[in-house]
Amino acid sequence: VTTDSVLLGAWAGIADAGRILDIGTGTGLLALMAAQRSEAQIVTIEPDRNSFMQAGINFAASPWYERLTLLHTTLQDFRPDADMLFDAIITNPPYFIDSLLNPDRGKARARHTVSLSHTELAGAADRLLTPSGSLHLVLPVNEANRFIEEAQRYGLHCTVRLKVRTTPSTPPARMLMTLTRQAVSVCEESELVIEKGGRHIYSDEYVSLTKDFYLKF
């Protein structure tokens, strides 16, 4: 369970979606949060076998299992029927582009774009979203800006973004984004600070956003 995914799952505007795709579900966190926040039918894809099996266990134990479909496949091989388009896509994708690969193959696939490039992700979103659909994702700030530029080639435009700081004194480390086919003159931007009063002393904004998903809140 990563802070990135919890923030994205709580923030993404998916409440009114009828069908949601979770790309690279891992252990199923984003899909489960989406199920808690909506009445949507949710399709999840996960190429790693161990993560796929764990997600299946987690889905079966949840109260929303009847709305969750889990597929063991890559995004590149995911070819649903032509009439199966999604109102929302949510993903915490690989993000390291030019850095040294992690020697752990599983971590390398999850964290580096060797398994899923940003071009492939943007192209798949263009292929799989309804005309009014939206793509929601989280990336480090530099990679996020590069993704926004890449997505424009596929007619996807950033409409809302949230920059996340760990503390008030640190620069933004992550960016949460919503992209749609609707071009806007200015992408709506805001900021959130996770810890304002020291280690594990969380800001009111962070608690308000995530309190429905953390037992400690």
Side-chain angles (χ1 to χ4, degrees):
V1 175
T2 66
T3 300
D4 289 359
S5 287
V6 171
L7 282 170
L8 179 63
W11 176 83
I14 50 85
D16 296 328
R19 183 180 288 152
I20 297 172
L21 174 65
D22 176 12
I23 297 173
T25 196
T27 57
L29 175 65
L30 282 174
L32 290 166
M33 293 180 73
Q36 182 174 332
R37 295 185 56 213
S38 73
E39 298 299 323
Q41 294 295 319
I42 301 167
V43 176
T44 70
I45 58 176
E46 175 52 54
D48 179 75
R49 181 162 182 78
N50 288 337
S51 296
F52 166 79
M53 294 176 67
Q54 183 62 60
I57 293 170
N58 292 341
F59 289 172
S62 82
W64 310 290
Y65 67 93
E66 292 182 346
R67 293 193 283 119
L68 295 162
T69 300
L70 174 62
L71 303 175
H72 185 211
T73 185
T74 64
L75 179 60
Q76 293 88 339
D77 292 335
F78 178 57
R79 297 285 170 177
D81 294 339
D83 61 347
M84 181 181 281
L85 296 177
F86 296 89
D87 302 302
I89 294 175
I90 189 166
T91 182
N92 182 357
Y95 49 82
F96 289 135
I97 298 176
D98 301 319
S99 58
L100 185 66
L101 289 182
N102 192 303
D104 182 306
R105 290 186 179 182
K107 291 181 179 179
R109 284 193 300 270
R111 297 176 183 173
H112 297 259
T113 57
V114 290
S115 61
L116 176 62
S117 72
H118 291 171
T119 298
E120 289 171 320
L121 177 56
D126 179 39
R127 171 171 59 90
L128 296 168
L129 282 172
T130 63
S132 60
S134 53
L135 169 64
H136 310 271
L137 70 160
V138 55
L139 285 168
V141 172
N142 288 340
E143 285 77 3
N145 289 326
R146 293 166 72 173
F147 182 84
I148 289 171
E149 291 183 4
E150 181 66 25
Q152 289 178 347
R153 294 176 51 202
Y154 294 89
L156 296 170
H157 308 277
C158 180
T159 56
V160 186
R161 59 187 173 191
L162 174 68
K163 291 183 177 179
V164 180
R165 299 176 185 266
T166 304
T167 68
S169 60
T170 56
R174 294 289 186 269
M175 187 186 295
L176 282 61
M177 298 166 284
T178 294
L179 293 94
T180 71
R181 302 185 199 279
Q182 177 186 358
V184 295
S185 56
V186 178
C187 181
E188 179 184 333
E189 183 174 307
S190 56
E191 284 197 0
L192 181 143
V193 175
I194 296 176
E195 296 175 338
K196 282 192 173 179
R199 184 67 172 159
H200 298 314
I201 301 176
Y202 299 101
S203 70
D204 292 342
E205 295 82 3
Y206 179 74
V207 172
S208 177
L209 180 62
T210 63
K211 59 183 173 60
D212 289 341
F213 308 100
Y214 279 125
L215 295 176
K216 62 186 176 184
F217 295 154

